Amino acid sequence: MKRSVLTFLTLFFISGIVYAQGTQQDSIEVLKNWSLFFEYFKTGDYVSAVPYGWKVMEMQPTRFKTLYKAMEKIYLKFYEEAPEEKRRGYADTLLIIYDNAIKYHPENASEYYLRKAYVLENYYTGRDSEAIVAYEKGIELDFEHTEFYYIDRLGVLYIKHMEENPDFREKAIDLYRKVLDKDPQNVTANDRLRMLVKDITELIELNKKRLETDPENTELIWTIANLYIRAEDFKNSIPYLEKLTKKFPDNEIYWNRLGYSYQRIGEYRKAIDAYNRSLKINPDAKEIILNIAVCYRELENFEQARVWARRAMAKDKNWGRPYIEIAQIYEAAVAKCVKTTKGGDWTKIEFVDKLVYQLAVEYYELAKRIDPSVANEANQRIKNLETLVPTQEDYFFNKRKIKDGKIPITGGCYDWIGESITVPYKI
């Protein structure tokens, strides 16, 4: 009996050694394949890299997070460079990569669902329904950090297929309303919503009749206020919102909406007051802080506008919109200066005016560098300023002002700015 037990334990111990050796050997094999994949990938030899990438994915699919993005980059390049008849195969492979990434790295699933949706929408014909499902999953998993571009792609697909699926209309409305709750200034979302909600008057009147029989119904008052906002009848939303803020003075959302409605009708001082009441309840609401900056810009109090934009910037170092706002403040400052000191004659624009425009460009560049979600807007605004910033010749004739590659902005309308621009040329 003792001999049998001893034999069993010996066999168990030996099998453990063999298993451990096998596991160690597998790990070495994975590292070898990963090393070869990465070296080929770094040098741009994608054809040689691919077999090793697939081997790593097969052996240990959870080990290297960057593997999936690298493989995606490879097959996107293959797709772009392939003749039309071979592209389908590369698109199919991209879908396999995304599915594996979602399965083995669920913490990044939102990102991969969105990329999968984009491929389904744009690399195939007739797969919109699958793209919609993928966009929905990706956005649902992380709405807060989803780039608006992908949200809008889902909205566009909803609108495209509304006739065959009437539910998509309400889904699109809800989607863009959610965007506007987060970013009331989003031009595209506002435009899409206007297109979707064409006849809201009847709905407002129905709710007002209901309110007559139940005048203190908070839900109805809130609904009517929001319907007026959706209809962009901000003036008529204000009495309902004021009633709510009086009834619930500690509700930040009501104060926020009231501020927004005042802002949209040009009552900027009242908007600032309402926004400040909202901030007393929630001091960390970065969007409200930025809205106050916008209001001060509209009031042409540029210095105060910049103070609030910088406060918004301090709340989130990775948020590009405050940088966009500061750039717009500087643009507005030039426009006012030209109007008040040059009678609105843009042919009289001076070197210092151009320097302020260059400073705006620098802020747009900063915005897109720290926050890719604002890159398209920043690039468009930079393009709009191309003819207004100083030329190389301008810098040459003003080279005495250059010190250590920079020029301070001083004098005239701009003493408050207190910043310098970096000269983009060697003079």
Side-chain angles (χ1 to χ4, degrees):
M1 178 67 177
K2 288 182 179 178
R3 186 173 181 181
S4 298
V5 171
L6 183 60
T7 302
F8 171 77
L9 290 173
T10 302
L11 289 171
F12 181 79
F13 180 69
I14 291 170
S15 66
I17 292 172
V18 171
Y19 174 76
Q21 288 175 338
T23 304
Q24 186 180 15
Q25 186 64 37
D26 287 346
S27 182
I28 292 170
E29 189 68 17
V30 169
L31 288 172
K32 182 181 77 174
N33 280 279
W34 169 253
S35 179
L36 287 166
F37 169 77
F38 191 67
E39 285 302 315
Y40 283 126
F41 177 76
K42 273 198 311 183
T43 60
D45 187 355
Y46 292 165
V47 173
S48 297
V50 158
Y52 299 106
W54 286 113
K55 192 67 177 174
V56 173
M57 202 180 297
E58 177 189 353
M59 296 178 75
Q60 287 193 4
T62 62
R63 185 162 183 178
F64 302 100
K65 287 185 179 181
T66 55
L67 171 64
Y68 296 95
K69 288 186 179 179
M71 290 289 278
E72 176 198 31
K73 183 175 181 178
I74 289 171
Y75 279 94
L76 282 172
K77 186 172 180 62
F78 286 171
Y79 178 90
E80 290 166 3
E81 295 178 352
E84 190 64 36
E85 65 272 12
K86 291 187 177 180
R87 284 187 160 189
R88 173 66 182 268
Y90 293 128
D92 290 344
T93 305
L94 280 165
L95 296 182
I96 293 169
I97 292 168
Y98 294 136
D99 286 339
N100 280 330
I102 290 164
K103 180 178 179 180
Y104 295 112
H105 290 287
E107 69 278 10
N108 296 324
S110 173
E111 179 182 358
Y112 287 114
Y113 271 122
L114 295 171
R115 295 182 184 186
K116 177 181 178 180
Y118 180 85
V119 168
L120 285 165
E121 179 193 1
N122 294 283
Y123 290 9
Y124 294 89
T125 302
R127 299 189 73 170
D128 282 359
S129 59
E130 294 173 77
I132 287 170
V133 171
Y135 278 131
E136 287 176 337
K137 285 181 179 176
I139 292 167
E140 181 183 357
L141 284 170
D142 191 5
F143 178 83
E144 187 66 25
H145 296 101
T146 297
E147 187 177 341
F148 174 70
Y149 175 82
Y150 291 115
I151 296 172
D152 190 43
R153 290 314 312 156
L154 176 58
V156 167
L157 287 177
Y158 281 150
I159 293 166
K160 179 181 176 181
H161 295 284
M162 280 191 311
E163 287 190 14
E164 61 206 67
N165 191 332
D167 290 344
F168 282 170
R169 180 177 177 274
E170 286 305 315
K171 283 191 171 186
I173 290 171
D174 289 343
L175 183 70
Y176 288 117
R177 284 183 65 187
K178 196 173 178 182
V179 170
L180 292 171
D181 284 342
K182 180 184 172 185
D183 178 15
Q185 311 299 327
N186 190 302
V187 175
T188 302
N190 275 301
D191 288 344
R192 302 269 194 241
L193 204 53
R194 272 197 297 270
M195 186 273 293
L196 287 160
V197 184
K198 293 178 180 176
D199 185 14
I200 207 167
T201 307
E202 185 178 357
L203 190 56
I204 291 172
E205 292 306 316
L206 285 171
N207 280 282
K208 285 171 73 173
K209 284 180 181 178
R210 288 176 60 201
L211 189 63
E212 287 174 7
T213 61
D214 188 6
E216 297 303 316
N217 187 316
T218 301
E219 186 178 340
L220 275 175
I221 297 169
W222 178 237
T223 297
I224 293 167
N226 276 306
L227 286 171
Y228 274 125
I229 289 171
R230 279 174 57 189
E232 298 204 350
D233 187 351
F234 300 102
K235 186 175 181 179
N236 276 317
S237 74
I238 288 171
Y240 296 94
L241 292 166
E242 285 181 335
K243 186 171 184 177
L244 289 170
T245 56
K246 286 175 183 175
K247 195 172 182 180
F248 302 99
D250 294 328
N251 188 305
E252 64 168 299
I253 296 173
Y254 295 155
W255 285 111
N256 181 11
R257 282 290 183 171
L258 179 60
Y260 177 63
S261 291
Y262 274 130
Q263 182 180 344
R264 290 301 298 270
I265 65 170
E267 294 276 3
Y268 298 115
R269 295 197 182 279
K270 289 182 178 180
I272 290 168
D273 290 341
Y275 284 141
N276 272 315
R277 289 294 298 268
S278 180
L279 279 179
K280 284 181 180 178
I281 303 160
N282 181 9
D284 294 323
K286 63 182 184 180
E287 291 85 1
I288 305 304
I289 295 171
L290 191 61
N291 283 344
I292 292 175
V294 173
C295 289
Y296 275 117
R297 168 164 58 84
E298 293 291 347
L299 289 168
E300 298 186 339
N301 187 340
F302 302 126
E303 192 168 2
Q304 193 64 17
R306 188 177 62 176
V307 167
W308 283 90
R310 284 174 173 172
R311 287 183 189 176
M313 191 187 298
K315 292 292 180 184
D316 185 349
K317 300 294 185 184
N318 298 314
W319 191 29
R321 196 140 296 281
Y323 294 88
I324 295 278
E325 177 56 30
I326 289 176
Q328 289 183 274
I329 289 166
Y330 291 147
E331 284 194 57
V334 177
K336 183 183 179 184
C337 192
V338 171
K339 180 181 177 181
T340 56
T341 65
K342 302 172 180 66
D345 187 350
W346 286 88
T347 63
K348 296 179 180 178
I349 190 170
E350 298 175 20
F351 181 62
V352 68
D353 303 313
K354 294 181 179 182
L355 288 177
V356 179
Y357 276 133
Q358 180 61 37
L359 185 58
V361 167
E362 289 184 7
Y363 272 91
Y364 287 132
E365 293 284 1
L366 270 172
K368 66 179 185 176
R369 195 179 310 146
I370 68 163
D371 184 359
S373 71
V374 301
N376 289 339
E377 180 181 352
N379 284 332
Q380 184 58 53
R381 291 184 181 278
I382 290 168
K383 187 175 181 180
N384 293 343
L385 295 177
E386 281 179 354
T387 59
L388 296 170
V389 296
T391 62
Q392 190 169 7
E393 185 180 17
D394 289 327
Y395 286 116
F396 178 78
F397 285 116
N398 290 274
K399 62 183 177 181
R400 69 188 183 284
K401 298 179 180 180
I402 302 172
K403 186 176 181 181
D404 298 326
K406 292 182 176 292
I407 301 179
I409 295 171
T410 56
C413 308
Y414 309 118
D415 273 337
W416 61 274
I417 289 180
E419 294 196 66
S420 300
I421 64 98
T422 300
V423 178
Y425 304 102
K426 287 186 178 180
I427 304 299

